[in-house]
Amino acid sequence: METNNIEMITKMVIDAINKNEDKGNGFVVPIGVSARHIHLTQEHVEALFGEGYQLTKKKDLMGGQFASNETVTIVGLKLRAIENVRILGPVRSKSQVEVSATDAIKLGMKVPVRMSGDLAGSAPIAIVGPKGAIYLKEGCIVAMRHIHMAPKDAQAAGVHDGDVVSVKADNERGTIFNQVKIRVDDSFTLEMHIDTDEANAARIATGNTVTIIK
């Protein structure tokens, strides 16, 4: 069965479950595990790949975003590096590097846990591409776990943009995640994003589900 068909069936099942649940507690959310990645400005894309360069699409993501074919190397303050870090498009107004806590240790850096876009005072990082390199004085974060929702999903779950909830994974690890930020936008598809550290510790993979327990 094709991946798109599996995703569609999973969504239909989750929608059916949620229609029969009370608001708030019991609302089911699919998981998306987010590996390390980078968002760049057009200026920085050109600094790394050459004048006039445009990111090329590898895979569509939600909200109009896409995983690009382009990858780069990130370098920490102790000159420790991680190669083949994927860039997500389209370009943004600020460049941002998202890593896991394990990545931060490998880079020899102290990286704060932040929501995407909250970059003031975050960690510095160097990025090396095939045509050049850039240095960000701030911009490297460990992404705070969060749930993307369309307005109809937020209404069904009884939550609002900016709320913080807890969720439970009902598997052999029985993990409860606290401090999960709700993000609501018309362009969003229902999905909770956690990083690879969190997913591995809880034995969770993309496509698994968790339940909001508030």
Side-chain angles (χ1 to χ4, degrees), residues 22-47:
D22 293 332
K23 285 189 175 182
N25 292 356
F27 192 84
V28 177
V29 180
I31 287 286
V33 179
S34 181
R36 67 181 78 100
H37 61 272
I38 298 178
H39 302 279
L40 292 173
T41 65
Q42 180 59 32
E43 177 185 0
H44 286 161
V45 168
E46 295 187 28

Side-chain angles (χ1 to χ4, degrees), residues 96-177:
Q96 171 179 303
V97 180
E98 297 182 35
V99 298
S100 69
T102 298
D103 291 335
I105 293 170
K106 182 175 181 179
L107 292 167
M109 296 168 52
K110 185 176 181 180
V111 181
V113 177
R114 298 281 184 83
M115 286 300 299
S116 178
D118 182 8
L119 305 180
S122 58
I125 191 83
I127 305 172
V128 181
K131 299 290 187 179
I134 59 174
Y135 175 73
L136 304 179
K137 292 183 179 180
E138 56 187 20
C140 185
I141 63 171
V142 173
M144 180 180 180
R145 60 183 77 107
H146 56 278
I147 298 174
H148 289 281
M149 288 183 163
K152 65 178 179 61
D153 296 316
Q155 182 178 11
V159 297
H160 303 87
D161 185 53
D163 284 354
V164 177
V165 300
S166 296
V167 305
K168 181 179 180 181
D170 286 315
N171 59 14
E172 66 269 27
R173 298 305 294 268
T175 306
I176 292 177
F177 293 99

Side-chain angles (χ1 to χ4, degrees), residues 54-122:
Q54 300 291 317
L55 296 175
T56 59
K57 186 181 297 185
K58 178 182 177 69
K59 180 184 178 181
D60 284 315
L61 303 174
M62 73 170 183
Q65 295 191 90
F66 61 87
S68 76
N69 291 298
E70 289 75 22
T71 62
V72 292
T73 298
I74 55 176
V75 184
L77 295 179
K78 297 182 180 180
L79 298 183
R80 298 177 186 174
I82 298 177
E83 299 179 337
N84 299 316
V85 182
R86 192 162 305 281
I87 300 169
L88 302 190
V91 294
R92 292 192 173 186
S93 58
K94 290 184 179 180
S95 292
Q96 171 179 303
V97 180
E98 297 182 35
V99 298
S100 69
T102 298
D103 291 335
I105 293 170
K106 182 175 181 179
L107 292 167
M109 296 168 52
K110 185 176 181 180
V111 181
V113 177
R114 298 281 184 83
M115 286 300 299
S116 178
D118 182 8
L119 305 180
S122 58

